[in-house]
Amino acid sequence: MSDGSVCLLEPLGLLSIRGPDSRRFLQGQLSNNVDELAGTAALPADAAERTLLRAGLHNPQGRTLAVLGLLAAGPDQVLAVLPRELVGITRATLQRYVLRSKVALTDESDTHRLYGLTRPAATPGALSVRYAGARHLLVLSADQAAPLGEALPYEAWHAADVAAGLPQIYAASSGQFIAQMLNLDCIGAVSFTKGCYTGQEVIARAHYRGRVKRRMQRFISREPLQLSPGESGEFSAGGTFRVVDSVQHADGRCEFLAVTTLPGAAAETGTSTDTSTERAPASSDAAEAPAPAGQRVTASALPLPYPLPD
């Protein structure tokens, strides 16, 4: 990616949560502290330096249904960025909890355009926040002109997400992982002090009782391979994994994020110490149950840009 690149994030959609109770409502549904959105309003002078607030939407069993990127569009409106394929079902899930809250949930995916930028851009009438690292997210209405810059294919933006260890949930993987298995706690997408929300009891118990032994890690296949989110596999040295996200390299190899047993947890059970492969599962907890074996994969481990808990 070069400076000044612009990517149309067409696979992503936008869910609007609007109304005087919007933030209080989300506070009771999402894993992060929505009150931190107080300073995310669209102010042209500094909006690009503000950061997208990530949070998980979970079911009562603590399983992640969607990962949302939140930004404030005003004092009574929050916009949630997530894969377009999940906008409808996420809206329906949240709608069940609205009850008497003064909140309206609408799919804004067709009325707005999402762009990924490799550097800040001041665009009148647009919402802009820091997305990750030096990358920024720009929200424009569908009738606004696209920002200027060198066109960047979505595959390149997606590859940067995988390299950054940013977890994403799709229709095929919704409900498969608890928050810590996706490293949501490592990227600041979980608050353990904000109070109750749907699934909070399971996520808090996994946090306070000790280390989660299966977490998302980053790999690259040693030969041409195709893997999809939600797919299970078995490393050539033994042990299973489940794919969170993946991208294809030009040579056909697959770089992927997958939930698998942590190296330290494997050592505790006396399994292989080869860092290129998954270890045997070290926990019998149902929330950390290993994925069923699928295709056999030979892969090497790649580093994540953030540390995993010891």
Side-chain angles (χ1 to χ4, degrees):
M1 290 187 288
S2 63
D3 288 344
S5 297
V6 176
C7 178
L8 176 61
L9 305 179
E10 199 165 11
L12 300 182
L14 203 62
L15 178 64
S16 170
I17 304 94
R18 185 195 298 268
D21 295 337
S22 56
R23 299 191 190 198
R24 182 172 60 183
F25 169 73
L26 291 175
Q27 191 77 321
Q29 300 305 321
L30 305 182
S31 63
N32 213 342
N33 185 1
V34 180
D35 288 344
E36 294 181 8
L37 279 173
T40 319
L43 299 178
D46 61 357
E49 294 306 312
R50 291 165 180 172
T51 303
L52 192 70
L53 184 72
R54 291 182 170 85
L57 172 68
H58 302 87
N59 66 16
Q61 292 73 42
R63 298 285 175 150
T64 309
L65 301 176
V67 176
L68 312 179
L70 306 175
L71 64 157
D76 292 336
Q77 185 182 20
V78 175
L79 295 176
V81 179
L82 69 161
R84 187 180 286 254
E85 65 187 55
L86 284 183
V87 172
I89 192 169
T90 298
R91 178 183 178 276
T93 299
L94 288 171
Q95 188 67 49
R96 292 200 295 267
Y97 296 97
V98 169
L99 302 177
R100 297 182 180 180
S101 297
K102 296 178 180 177
V103 171
L105 306 172
T106 56
D107 184 347
E108 303 279 352
S109 303
D110 292 331
T111 59
H112 290 79
R113 297 288 181 269
L114 298 171
Y115 292 92
L117 310 176
T118 54
R119 66 180 181 187
T123 304
L127 292 169
S128 179
V129 292
R130 186 179 296 278
Y131 178 85
R135 294 184 293 156
H136 293 76
L137 178 72
L138 189 69
V139 183
L140 296 175
S141 62
D143 57 359
Q144 286 183 280
L148 299 177
E150 179 183 348
L152 180 72
Y154 180 76
E155 291 74 18
W157 184 270
H158 186 201
D161 280 354
V162 171
L166 295 177
Q168 187 56 273
I169 289 292
Y170 302 94
S173 54
S174 183
Q176 291 185 358
F177 309 107
I178 64 168
Q180 288 94 335
M181 294 170 77
L182 294 170
N183 303 342
L184 292 184
D185 52 336
C186 300
I187 63 168
V190 179
S191 170
F192 293 103
T193 60
K194 57 164 280 185
C196 295
Y197 56 91
T198 303
Q200 181 264 345
E201 183 178 355
V202 174
I203 295 167
R205 186 167 65 242
H207 174 72
Y208 288 112
R209 76 177 182 182
R211 190 178 72 171
V212 175
K213 296 179 176 64
R214 293 178 64 83
R215 280 186 175 269
M216 187 182 75
Q217 298 165 63
R218 181 177 166 224
F219 300 93
I220 186 166
S221 67
R222 296 179 186 172
E223 54 193 25
L225 176 71
Q226 287 190 336
L227 290 171
S228 300
E231 186 176 352
S232 299
E234 181 180 0
F235 286 112
S236 57
T240 61
F241 65 87
R242 193 184 292 276
V243 179
V244 176
D245 210 346
S246 64
V247 291
Q248 209 76 24
H249 285 213
D251 60 4
R253 292 185 300 159
C254 181
E255 183 177 339
F256 60 102
L257 300 171
V259 170
T260 184
T261 310
L262 287 167
E268 292 169 9
T269 59
T271 54
S272 168
T273 57
D274 179 358
T275 58
S276 68
T277 59
E278 183 200 21
R279 282 73 179 173
S283 172
S284 60
D285 190 290
E288 297 184 37
Q295 63 175 305
R296 200 169 182 83
V297 172
T298 302
S300 300
L302 294 174
L304 289 169
Y306 51 81
L308 296 179
D310 294 331

